[in-house]
Structures are given as structure tokens and as C-alpha cells.
Amino acid sequence: MLGSRLPPARIDVLRRSLAESAGLLQRRRAADIPSVDIDDYVALNWLEWHGGTLRLTLTGQNVTRQQAQHWSTT
């Protein structure tokens, strides 16, 4: 799996920025997400291409939820 080849520090950065990226997707602003981030999100199976658009995968939704819970308890 390509995502497992990403350094842990990079995965942590992506995890912390996923909610913001998901918000951009909801506002149809995918062009504002750096392409390198998109590539890494896809490699991690957090985003997927669907009919020419990007969307969160179930895994991406779970990561976003976990991050929200983490920040609400700290």
C-alpha cells in the first residue's frame, strides 16, 4: 500500500488538515487543496475520485470524526 510508505510525520500533517480539505470539497473548492495533498489522501484511501470529482471515503470520514473527537476532548 502506497500510503504506508508515507512518513508518520506526513500522515500526521494530513490527518490534522483533512477536515479543512473536506470542507473545501463540500464548498466545491477542490482546486484549493494542494495536489500533493490530494495524491497522498488518495494513497491513504482517505479521498477517492468518483465520476471526476473527489469525495471522502468511509476511512476519510472516520479519520475526520476521530480528529474532531480528539480536539473536543483536549
Side-chain angles (χ1 to χ4, degrees):
M1 173 181 218
L2 181 60
S4 62
R5 294 184 191 158
L6 293 171
R10 175 67 177 148
I11 294 172
D12 188 50
V13 168
L14 291 167
R15 184 179 292 115
R16 287 185 274 124
S17 64
L18 184 59
E20 180 181 347
S21 295
L24 289 169
L25 291 176
Q26 287 180 327
R27 293 189 305 277
R28 302 190 188 283
R29 305 279 316 237
D32 293 342
I33 303 170
S35 60
V36 68
D37 288 0
I38 291 173
D39 291 341
D40 289 346
Y41 287 138
V42 170
L44 290 165
N45 192 37
W46 294 355
L47 290 182
E48 66 182 356
W49 288 102
H50 180 72
T53 61
L54 279 170
R55 69 178 181 184
L56 276 174
T57 64
L58 181 59
T59 303
Q61 292 171 19
N62 288 337
V63 170
T64 302
R65 236 179 269 122
Q66 289 168 356
Q67 280 300 107
Q69 289 174 351
H70 170 77
W71 289 111
S72 70
T73 60
T74 57

